[in-house]
Amino acid sequence: MKAHGTVHKYGDNVDTDVIIPARYLNSSDPAELAKKCMEDIDAEFVTRVKPGDIMVANKNFGCGSSREHAPIAIKAAGISCVIAETFARIFYRNAINIGLPIIECPEAAKEIAAGDEVEIDFDSGKIYDLTKGTEYQGQPFPEFMQKIIKAEGLINYINS
Amino acid sequence: MGMTMTQKILAAHAGLDKVDAGQLIMADLDLVLGNDVTAPVAIHEMEKMNSKGVFDKDKIALVPDHFTPNKDIKSAEHCKCVREFAAEHNITNYFEIGEMGIEHALLPEKGLVVAGDVVIGADSHTCTYGALGAFSTGVGSTDMAAGMATGKAWFKVPSALKFELVGKPSSWVSGKDVILHIIGLIGVDGALYKSMEFVGDGIANLSMDDRFTMANMAIEAGAKNGIFPVDDKTEQYMKEHATREYEIYEADEDAEYEKTYVIDLSTLKSTVAFPHLPENTRTIDEVGDIKIDQVVIGSCTNGRIDDLRVAAKVLEGRKVAKGLRLIIFPATQAIYLKAMEEGLLSTFIKAGGVVSTPTCGPCLGGHMGILASGEKAVATTNRNFVGRMGHVESEIYLASPAIAAASAVTGKISSPADLGL
């Protein structure tokens, strides 16, 4: 399993309120949520993002509200993987549960820049910055997590 | 090596004699909670499941509190979805408008959580019940769905930070100031993935409402849960509110903590968190001259009766500053009624404030007090993130009810001392 795309880069403590503001939580439709994703910190994100793109951020990504709408919006916007130095714990659980790949890797989070072309191999946990020619070792995905992601979430995985 | 209080509760619910930090366990749940924002997503996930029923109709709580009374058609549809699900599955603890309140104030008040419980809720502030000596933590909607179906959830057993509280807080210093001070000290990810265990003689000087406020904001330090030992005040609270048996767990003498912080409550001052993170704290004497447009007193953090009493004490016989909006949210119907009977609502209205029905409302930028660009609010809520209460160029200053009420009178961030109190 691999991901390949262009990087959208953010800083520390990106909270779920900026990932998907509460004023849009009167909907739970992924396509509708995707249109508003990151609106409060990066209004251009939704016009710039292409399917397969990668999000990179620093520490405590996804802090705050437990809204599962946050990883749902990121995934529906076309993001194939989020790399961060650390993730807030509820976001971490939610991302796996809905089948959005996420990787903790402090070095990659620090060095990869916005606009870089990045490839991720989920089996080995290797992250390649093709623009810079650098390589990072993230945590490989255990097999059950890869299965959850392939099944598009925990519920489908349990059913299968 | 012994276990922390949290680890002991988790071990008991996993049918194990001993657990260690980092261990993955499957635990039995005493309660699964959802609201009008998170439950519809969970219900949708449950519909996809092969098994359709709920594990126990008495151990699920559904509280439509975020965008209620329904703020628009889409919210009304979400509430309808939750209401229909509750009816279909005969959910005992579904709370309709008129009996509902803000979930984390309502559940302890209704006696639905007691010491020793394991509770998950699809709301990050589910950690509030740690004040009762329970393990409770926020999850997402999929975990809620799995919890409703199976009555179980998996956890990675957390390591812990110990906060030893000593001394007695001075007047006007509350649980809100203590927790803001701690978040300022360790940062918004200072307790990431960990438990915050509060211990020490100083706890006896904190009311149950102070403790609910503190456990509530453990998530703002990234914690998995915050927890207090059970003492006379806790037992008294549970006797007044709950009929269920409770179980008291205590940390082992040789429990392992990653770090211990000693907090002398007598040295703490009123504390304000500046935009846009709860860790950006300053004591009231360092605040400077900040003019404000709105004051919000309420939320799952500070909408309880003690909070309203403090606010009324400050506002009694005074007027809200010209041009400032003061909005007060009693957290539950019972608190609302009590505030009415005690004359607090009359004090608020005479001061020029408005009193709303219980709702999360503006805390998360839902309704009932949204900020325009450039506006500043003092709020007793829990988050001051960018855009949290409205426009991305608005600002939220988090504070105690005492500071919020005093600020409403002067029109700038102030303390009761500035009013001669």
Side-chain angles (χ1 to χ4, degrees):
Chain A
M1 242 179 102
K2 282 187 178 174
H4 182 157
T6 304
V7 166
H8 304 262
K9 181 83 189 266
Y10 301 97
D12 289 340
N13 304 314
V14 173
D15 60 76
T16 52
D17 274 272
V18 293
I19 295 171
I20 183 73
R23 58 185 177 273
Y24 303 124
L25 296 187
N26 56 6
S27 169
S28 48
D29 173 31
E32 212 171 311
L33 295 171
K35 286 183 207 158
K36 308 296 182 188
C37 188
M38 311 305 281
E39 184 176 280
D40 285 359
I41 51 165
D42 183 5
E44 304 300 312
F45 169 77
V46 290
T47 55
R48 216 171 54 233
V49 67
K50 298 182 299 298
D53 278 0
I54 289 160
M55 205 175 260
V56 181
N58 296 331
K59 65 170 190 170
N60 203 24
F61 186 88
C63 62
S65 157
S66 68
R67 61 190 70 161
E68 204 160 291
H69 311 67
I72 289 172
I74 290 173
K75 189 180 171 197
I79 293 293
S80 63
C81 182
V82 185
I83 301 168
E85 190 179 328
T86 52
F87 290 93
R89 59 162 287 274
I90 303 176
F91 182 91
Y92 193 96
R93 258 184 112 105
N94 288 348
I96 301 295
N97 282 345
I98 65 140
L100 171 69
I102 54 175
I103 300 185
E104 283 190 342
C105 182
E107 299 76 25
K110 196 173 154 199
E111 292 176 17
I112 294 173
D116 285 2
E117 192 186 343
V118 163
E119 190 170 283
I120 301 154
D121 184 332
F122 294 121
D123 299 311
S124 65
K126 284 220 171 9
I127 301 164
Y128 304 95
D129 186 328
L130 304 175
T131 307
K132 289 192 170 67
T134 49
E135 184 183 319
Y136 309 92
Q137 182 63 56
Q139 207 178 19
F141 267 53
E143 199 184 340
F144 83 93
M145 274 191 190
Q146 292 208 35
K147 282 184 180 163
I148 292 173
I149 284 160
K150 273 185 192 151
E152 301 270 310
L154 179 69
I155 301 296
N156 293 335
Y157 170 69
I158 292 172
N159 284 340
S160 67
Chain B
M1 193 57 75
M3 291 188 280
T4 65
M5 187 175 172
T6 298
Q7 289 166 354
K8 278 193 164 173
I9 296 173
L10 287 175
H13 283 74
L16 301 168
D17 294 330
K18 173 91 172 77
V19 295
D20 294 303
Q23 186 176 343
L24 288 170
I25 57 156
M26 189 63 85
D28 291 328
L29 302 172
D30 296 297
L31 192 70
V32 179
L33 163 72
N35 58 51
D36 53 312
V37 169
T38 59
V41 178
I43 291 165
H44 180 67
E45 288 298 308
M46 265 194 93
E47 282 165 359
K48 292 197 290 188
M49 280 185 181
N50 294 337
S51 120
K52 301 284 182 213
V54 299
F55 85 107
D56 187 335
K57 70 179 181 62
D58 298 329
K59 292 185 176 179
I60 292 167
L62 296 170
V63 188
D65 58 357
H66 276 54
F67 295 159
T68 52
N70 304 335
K71 81 181 179 91
D72 53 26
I73 295 168
K74 284 180 177 175
S75 304
E77 293 292 341
H78 272 175
C79 288
K80 187 176 157 196
C81 160
V82 178
R83 186 179 301 117
E84 288 176 351
F85 176 86
E88 185 190 338
H89 294 276
N90 202 18
I91 303 294
T92 315
N93 297 304
Y94 167 74
F95 297 100
E96 190 53 86
I97 304 299
E99 52 183 0
M100 72 79 153
I102 299 175
E103 51 196 337
H104 308 307
L106 187 70
L107 267 48
E109 180 187 289
K110 295 279 185 192
L112 296 178
V113 184
V114 293
D117 279 355
V118 169
V119 178
I120 61 165
D123 188 278
S124 61
H125 293 108
T126 302
C127 51
T128 307
Y129 320 127
L132 293 166
F135 171 83
S136 60
T137 193
V139 295
S141 296
T142 301
D143 279 323
M144 182 196 167
M148 286 198 293
T150 65
K152 290 174 188 296
W154 66 265
F155 298 105
K156 194 171 173 181
V157 176
S159 60
L161 301 176
K162 179 153 101 176
F163 295 86
E164 192 173 345
L165 310 179
V166 298
K168 189 177 177 182
S170 50
S171 61
W172 306 115
V173 172
S174 67
K176 183 61 164 286
D177 302 293
V178 182
I179 194 66
L180 285 176
H181 170 77
I182 289 173
I183 296 165
L185 191 69
I186 69 173
V188 292
D189 64 345
L192 196 56
Y193 308 126
K194 303 183 207 329
S195 298
M196 294 170 79
E197 298 213 343
F198 301 101
V199 299
D201 298 343
I203 290 176
N205 298 318
L206 297 169
S207 70
M208 284 312 296
D209 284 1
D210 281 325
R211 300 179 201 181
F212 282 123
T213 303
M214 290 175 63
N216 172 275
M217 287 191 74
I219 179 68
E220 308 322 329
K224 185 170 215 153
N225 69 313
I227 197 162
F228 281 82
V230 176
D231 66 5
D232 294 347
K233 282 185 185 170
T234 330
E235 292 199 80
Q236 184 59 36
Y237 183 93
M238 290 190 289
K239 278 174 191 150
E240 282 169 19
H241 293 273
T243 51
R244 280 176 51 218
E245 293 282 312
Y246 54 85
E247 190 146 355
I248 299 172
Y249 292 86
E250 289 174 348
D252 289 324
E253 295 262 318
D254 59 344
E256 191 177 14
Y257 295 94
E258 285 193 11
K259 202 167 176 183
T260 298
Y261 298 85
V262 178
I263 312 276
D264 183 352
L265 302 178
S266 69
T267 63
L268 298 189
K269 296 174 183 170
S270 296
T271 301
V272 179
F274 274 50
H276 289 286
L277 283 175
E279 71 182 22
N280 294 336
T281 53
R282 294 188 202 177
T283 52
I284 190 70
D285 49 323
E286 301 168 336
V287 161
D289 197 22
I290 296 171
K291 194 180 167 300
I292 49 171
D293 304 285
Q294 179 168 301
V295 169
V296 171
I297 299 176
S299 84
C300 60
T301 309
N302 278 123
R304 298 183 181 80
I305 194 68
D306 275 5
D307 302 315
L308 301 186
R309 285 176 185 148
V310 167
K313 208 166 154 186
V314 175
L315 290 164
E316 179 70 48
R318 296 185 170 79
K319 286 277 181 200
V320 165
K322 185 79 182 158
L324 181 139
R325 298 146 357 225
L326 168 64
I327 315 172
I328 296 171
F329 299 83
T332 67
Q333 288 288 84
I335 294 168
Y336 197 118
L337 188 59
K338 201 164 182 55
M340 189 170 81
E341 288 165 354
E342 291 184 15
L344 311 181
L345 303 188
S346 156
T347 301
F348 298 147
I349 292 167
K350 283 179 186 160
V354 296
V355 183
S356 163
T357 188
T359 179
C360 303
C363 172
L364 78 161
H367 62 157
M368 294 298 293
I370 303 304
L371 300 174
S373 60
E375 288 191 330
K376 292 180 169 68
V378 171
T380 67
T381 58
N382 41 59
R383 292 190 175 127
N384 53 354
F385 299 153
V386 171
R388 172 83 177 174
M389 199 175 277
H391 197 279
V392 291
E393 285 163 23
S394 60
E395 292 184 350
I396 306 159
Y397 296 78
L398 304 176
S400 68
I403 295 296
S407 304
V409 173
T410 62
K412 59 183 191 174
I413 302 179
S414 306
S415 74
D418 296 325
L419 305 176
L421 289 165

